[in-house]
Amino acid sequence: QYFSVTFLTGTPGVGKTTLGKELASRSGLKYVNVGDLAKEGQLYDGYDEEYDCPILDEDRVVDELENQMKEGGVIVDYHGCDFFPERWFHIVFVLRTDNSELYKRLETRGYNEKKLQDNIQCEIFQVLYEEAMASYKEEIVHQLASNKPEDLENNINQILKWIEQWIKDHSS
Ligand code: DAT
């Protein structure tokens, strides 16, 4: 049974994890956090001193996820998207958050000033949106506002409707 795969991306702090977990619990789809997966499997290739974080071993991450993606029924969460195979995802949602709100969220996380500024810049220059548009067919890439709790509720409902429609369209 072929089944839909949804991809949530965006700058760290925009709400991918919150949305992904809630979606999974309401839809029965499985939530996959690529950052956590890499951590558990130590799928790293060195350490980035400037950004103070491990460097993802992209090939090993892709190998690790391949079977699960073929099975489908998955919601994937990651703040990068240019290294996943294009065939994996049926729809891509880029979450977007206003600067002042994002700043507050990242400050709460205890990010240092450089990391804060880098992430805010990433959001201002819509790096993840551009990356998603360059990596997947434009018509499957959608932006969703993720500033307040009502947005979360709206986004869940919209994505659930999309998944339902996708399954209908592909079940014959
Ligand atoms: P990400 O997984 O993109 O890094 P997250 O899900 O951990 O982001 O969310 C970061 C913080 O923002 C967290 O404290 C929850 C909060 N948040 C997420 N979505 C929100 C929304 N729609 N409205 C208000 N706060 C939200």
Side-chain angles (χ1 to χ4, degrees), residues 18-19 22 26 96 101 105 144-159:
T18 308
L19 175 63
E22 192 57 31
R26 293 204 208 171
R96 302 299 307 271
E101 170 68 17
R105 293 183 195 172
L144 294 173
S146 180
N147 294 303
K148 44 192 197 297
E150 300 94 278
D151 291 336
L152 176 65
E153 203 53 38
N154 285 338
N155 293 341
I156 289 168
N157 291 330
Q158 196 181 324
I159 296 176

Side-chain angles (χ1 to χ4, degrees), residues 9-20 31 33 77 79 95 97 101 105-106 108-109 111 145-153 155:
T9 190
T11 309
V14 293
K16 302 179 293 296
T17 307
T18 308
L19 175 63
Y31 168 75
N33 185 303
D77 163 352
H79 58 262
L95 304 192
T97 302
E101 170 68 17
R105 293 183 195 172
L106 295 178
T108 312
R109 274 190 187 171
Y111 278 15
S146 180
N147 294 303
K148 44 192 197 297
E150 300 94 278
D151 291 336
L152 176 65
E153 203 53 38
N155 293 341

Side-chain angles (χ1 to χ4, degrees), residues 109-169:
R109 274 190 187 171
Y111 278 15
N112 65 37
E113 194 56 30
K114 170 161 174 54
K115 209 165 168 181
L116 262 172
Q117 291 304 337
D118 286 343
N119 281 292
I120 296 295
Q121 293 281 316
C122 175
E123 187 61 11
I124 291 173
F125 291 110
Q126 45 184 38
V127 172
L128 269 305
Y129 177 63
E130 306 268 332
E131 194 175 306
M133 290 290 273
S135 305
Y136 304 96
K137 286 203 193 82
E138 293 187 4
E139 62 266 29
I140 72 160
V141 178
H142 305 274
Q143 298 198 75
L144 294 173
S146 180
N147 294 303
K148 44 192 197 297
E150 300 94 278
D151 291 336
L152 176 65
E153 203 53 38
N154 285 338
N155 293 341
I156 289 168
N157 291 330
Q158 196 181 324
I159 296 176
L160 287 177
K161 261 190 219 152
W162 174 83
I163 293 171
E164 220 172 275
Q165 189 59 45
W166 193 93
I167 293 170
K168 262 190 213 156
D169 292 345

Side-chain angles (χ1 to χ4, degrees), residues 94-105:
V94 184
L95 304 192
R96 302 299 307 271
T97 302
D98 296 340
N99 300 330
S100 53
E101 170 68 17
L102 186 63
Y103 194 95
K104 273 188 264 166
R105 293 183 195 172

Side-chain angles (χ1 to χ4, degrees), residues 25-44:
S25 82
R26 293 204 208 171
S27 65
L29 298 179
K30 196 174 169 228
Y31 168 75
V32 174
N33 185 303
V34 174
D36 289 350
L37 181 99
K39 197 172 181 184
E40 281 156 24
Q42 286 295 299
L43 307 175
Y44 298 133

